[in-house]
Amino acid sequence: LDPHHQGASANLGEVLLLLGRRAESVDSLRRAVEAGNRSGPAGGLLLEASVLLAAWIRTEQPEEAEALCRQVADVTDPFFSQFRQAELRAICSLILGDTVTAVEQLRAVAGSRTRADRFQAPLYELLRQPSGLNVEPLLDVWREIDSEAVTL
């Protein structure tokens, strides 16, 4: 695995997140964000890597988590569906303390969800701990979209 390849580092970071391997996930996601910053704001997987990293570090490093979320607020990513991009932005809005915007962001794209847009329970569990965010409003939107998908 090329540690300077943004896509590989972002994907590995997400897999490690889903496996609950925090330290390794944070390292991999940091590499992805750094590579994305070097390639410019529209580079590759910057949006997902930044949001996932912010989710991991939000309790220990809240200023950095907020900065990551603000940095990618307008970044688009051609590798992800419109729905996934909105979900990631909604998660950032939660991290920034704006639940109303988070719900609006996710609800606005509910009709564009594809079969590839899957509910990721481990990500929402991560957001709940240790001093958890209130993810229930986003989970409610997910239940409206696909009541069988939400298994928390």
Side-chain angles (χ1 to χ4, degrees), residues 83 87 90 94 99-100 102-108 110 113 119 124 128 133-152:
F83 181 88
E87 180 186 25
L94 276 183
T99 303
V100 171
V103 168
E104 290 171 354
Q105 288 169 315
L106 190 56
R107 189 171 279 140
R113 179 175 172 243
F119 177 72
Y124 287 88
R128 283 183 162 167
L133 291 174
N134 179 12
V135 297
E136 285 306 314
L138 287 186
L139 296 178
D140 288 343
V141 176
W142 265 104
R143 288 181 190 105
E144 291 169 15
I145 297 168
D146 184 354
S147 61
E148 294 179 16
V150 181
T151 57
L152 290 180

Side-chain angles (χ1 to χ4, degrees), residues 11-131:
N11 289 336
L12 177 60
E14 181 177 10
V15 168
L16 292 167
L17 176 146
L18 296 173
L19 293 172
R21 293 167 54 182
R22 184 186 192 288
E24 295 164 283
S25 178
V26 167
D27 289 345
S28 189
L29 291 167
R30 279 194 192 285
R31 282 193 304 273
V33 169
E34 289 166 4
N37 287 335
R38 285 192 303 274
S39 65
L45 304 168
L46 182 61
L47 174 62
E48 183 178 54
S50 295
V51 174
L52 297 179
L53 179 57
W56 268 125
I57 67 170
R58 69 184 166 70
T59 55
E60 295 91 15
Q61 299 164 304
E63 297 85 14
E64 183 181 356
E66 289 179 16
L68 285 164
C69 285
R70 293 184 197 294
Q71 173 185 342
V72 296
D74 297 321
V75 170
T76 58
D77 192 328
F79 298 106
F80 291 106
S81 70
Q82 180 182 5
F83 181 88
R84 178 65 173 163
Q85 291 181 68
E87 180 186 25
L88 291 167
R89 284 193 185 87
I91 290 168
C92 265
S93 292
L94 276 183
I95 291 169
L96 295 170
D98 189 350
T99 303
V100 171
T101 298
V103 168
E104 290 171 354
Q105 288 169 315
L106 190 56
R107 189 171 279 140
V109 296
S112 69
R113 179 175 172 243
T114 69
R115 292 173 54 119
D117 294 315
R118 300 235 190 275
F119 177 72
Q120 293 181 335
L123 174 57
Y124 287 88
E125 287 293 342
L126 166 67
L127 293 169
R128 283 183 162 167
Q129 52 186 306
S131 60

